[in-house]
Structure formats: C-alpha cells, structure tokens
Amino acid sequence: MISKIFSAVLHGIEAELVTIETSISGGLPVTDIIGLADKTVNEAARRTRSAIISSGLNYPMGRVTVNIAPAGKRKRGSQLDLPMAIGVLASAGGIFMDELDGYCLAGELSLDGGVKKVTGLLPMLLEAKKKHLKMIIPYGNISEVMLIHGIDIYPVSSLVEVVGFFNKKVKLKRLEPVSMIDLKIPDGTRGRKLDYSDIRGMKAAKRALTIAAAGGHGVLMVGSPATGKTMLAERMPTIMPPMKYDEIIENTIIYSAAGLLTDDMPYVAERPFRNPHSSVTRAALIGGGLYPKPGEITLANR
C-alpha cells in the first residue's frame, strides 16, 4: 500500500508543499529516502523507527521506500520526521487513510516518540492555508502561529496523539487564534530602556530622522566613530508608528525562517533594530549561502 502525506520545506523565507510517498515491499528491512534529501532528512529514518517502536507501535518488517516529491528540488529540515512516521504507519495499515489528504504535518521526532519544535513553521503554515489544508504542529510552536486566522491548527506533543487522532481514538483540541487586541506586545528594545527623548542636542540629525520616520524613507549616516550614529539609529524605532498586522506577520516569517524566534520573542511585533559589526561578511549582511538564509538587511525589514 502506498500512502501520501503532505508536509512543507523552506526555500529561503518561502515555503513549498511536498508530498511524502511511502511504499513497503518485501526484502531486507531497510529504509530508503529519495528525492534530493539532505543529511538531516536522511537521518530521519532512524529517528522515526525509534519513535514508532518507543510509542508501542509496530514498525513494518520489509523494505521501506520514502519519496519526497517533487524529486527535483532539495529538501532539508527535521520537520519532515512526523509526516514520514505517519506515512510509514499508514502504508503498514496502522492508520486509517481516509482523512490524510486534508492535512499538512510538520514536526521533529525525539527517540521516545515526542514531537519537538521546528524552525520556519510560520511560512509553512501560510502555504498550507493557501492550499486549504489543516495543519498539525508541535506544541512548542504555538506562540509562533497564534496570530494566524482562517486555518485549523492542531498542536500535538507525541506521535501517539497523531496516530490516535487519525484512527478516531483521540480528539485534538483546535488552536484558537489570538486577535491583535489581545496580543501582548513584547518590549521592542529587548530589555534596554531606550527612547528618542533621551537624545540631547544633535538637532539636525534628529530632524532628519524625524522626517525619515514620518515618510518611511531610508537614512544613511556617515561620520567619525563615537559621534552618536548608532545611538540615534537604535532609538529611531521608538518614534515610528506601531506595526500593523501584515507587517508583524511579514517580519515573523523572516525571523521564523532564520530560526531566531524564542519563547521570549515568539513573534516580531516591534520594529527591529539590527547592529552588525563593521567586519560583517557580505553573506551575513545581505543573506545567502548554500541554503539561503536572511541577512542583516532582511532582518531589519520594516
């Protein structure tokens, strides 16, 4: 029996849905993962096997082939662990396959069957929303997605919960999204008590920054060290208008893809200030790399 499970992978700060196709045939008990998968995805074969066995479920004896389509694009990330495990169990007949088509799954598995937090989940969730899919996510990512409306989100903490849900033995509680009114805006200065009113003198520079903030213009400050350029720049967000919903989602997508969201900052609701060192490399400043990541310029968006 061949099962098909939807999941998603990141390309830069954008997500793409992938289909995890699993087939079990006769032969030596081995798991083959194909579809231009990186080392993290290939290692998922061992994590999923241990998680399934530790959860008290039967891992099939035979040759397991997992294809991640489309096969012509590179796949990376531990978020494919959970859908791969569900695909193996579905192909082995351990899961009802009636409703699998309507769900997108993402989550890293621990060896004991727990579902762990993953990075880059927000753009994956928005891509699943475009395709009118429901989403099963780790509990650790709840704060990151609490602002998203218009999609059914089910947080889970273990593989057993997911299997019980699809076998209609467990009811998962749907995550209730939070409105902007109820949103707790974190301190954008992240512990530093900064304000534009702290600046004394420097009237010409302050006037320029005020005009730039009002019109949404860029500013280039040039001068000798220790003349107040950074001091002015890091206080500029305090005179800019509060971020709108679309801007918060846009910036949170960037920080999610970069893996910079934390429990203290689950979403970016304050205008960011970035302070790269003068020796910053080109790739760190503008982004890029073998697996493209946002650079300092992108992280300073809005």
Side-chain angles (χ1 to χ4, degrees), residues 3-292:
S3 65
K4 295 183 179 181
I5 311 289
F6 289 116
S7 187
V9 294
L10 278 182
H11 297 299
I13 61 173
E14 296 182 348
E16 179 183 1
L17 283 184
V18 296
T19 304
I20 299 177
E21 303 169 335
T22 308
S23 171
I24 302 176
S25 58
L28 294 173
V30 65
T31 301
D32 292 325
I33 300 177
I34 55 179
L36 282 182
D38 76 344
K39 187 170 183 179
T40 304
V41 180
N42 280 313
E43 289 176 346
R46 282 171 278 180
R47 287 194 296 273
T48 55
R49 181 184 179 88
S50 177
I52 290 172
I53 295 173
S54 298
S55 301
L57 305 168
N58 294 322
Y59 194 89
M61 296 298 294
R63 190 178 191 90
V64 178
T65 303
V66 180
N67 177 48
I68 309 174
K73 294 186 178 181
R74 294 192 175 275
K75 325 296 188 311
R76 65 185 181 94
S78 59
Q79 75 278 358
L80 299 177
D81 290 6
L82 178 60
M84 285 174 61
I86 295 299
V88 170
L89 292 170
S91 292
I95 291 180
F96 297 139
M97 298 177 61
D98 299 343
E99 295 187 11
L100 289 178
D101 288 345
Y103 288 86
C104 178
L105 286 73
E108 178 181 332
L109 290 177
S110 60
L111 298 184
D112 62 358
V115 180
K116 301 167 68 175
K117 181 179 179 180
V118 296
T119 61
L121 183 68
L122 185 56
M124 301 177 196
L125 182 72
L126 294 174
E127 185 64 21
K129 179 181 175 181
K130 292 178 184 177
K131 305 297 183 182
H132 306 290
L133 296 173
K134 302 173 185 177
M135 189 90 179
I136 293 180
I137 68 167
Y139 259 106
N141 289 99
I142 287 180
S143 298
E144 179 180 342
V145 302
M146 60 171 43
L147 285 176
I148 305 301
H149 297 255
I151 179 174
D152 291 337
I153 304 172
Y154 298 94
V156 296
S157 58
S158 69
L159 178 62
V160 172
E161 281 185 74
V162 183
V163 174
F165 174 68
F166 284 120
N167 285 340
K168 304 185 184 301
K169 295 180 179 179
V170 174
K171 284 188 177 182
L172 295 180
K173 186 176 180 181
R174 187 173 68 89
L175 180 65
E176 294 296 333
V178 177
S179 67
M180 284 290 290
I181 298 175
D182 300 326
L183 178 64
K184 295 180 180 179
I185 303 294
D187 181 10
T189 57
R190 299 176 197 168
R192 295 169 291 143
K193 301 301 180 182
L194 301 175
D195 196 273
Y196 201 69
S197 62
D198 298 337
I199 305 169
R200 296 291 181 264
M202 310 184 76
K203 291 185 178 180
K206 289 167 65 177
R207 173 69 173 162
L209 292 188
T210 304
I211 294 172
H217 308 299
V219 181
L220 176 63
M221 289 185 281
V222 182
S224 303
T227 55
K229 300 185 299 298
T230 301
M231 182 268 294
L232 286 161
E234 63 186 348
R235 286 167 172 77
M236 189 172 178
T238 65
I239 62 170
M240 299 178 74
M243 294 181 74
K244 299 177 182 178
Y245 175 80
D246 291 342
E247 294 176 331
I248 291 175
I249 298 301
E250 181 181 312
N251 269 26
T252 305
I253 287 173
I254 295 170
Y255 277 70
S256 175
L260 296 179
L261 296 180
T262 63
D263 293 337
D264 296 329
M265 189 183 73
Y267 40 79
V268 182
E270 290 274 345
R271 300 193 180 275
F273 170 75
R274 303 294 299 181
N275 187 14
H277 192 263
S278 58
S279 63
V280 64
T281 64
R282 181 182 300 179
L285 184 64
I286 65 176
L290 179 61
Y291 297 110

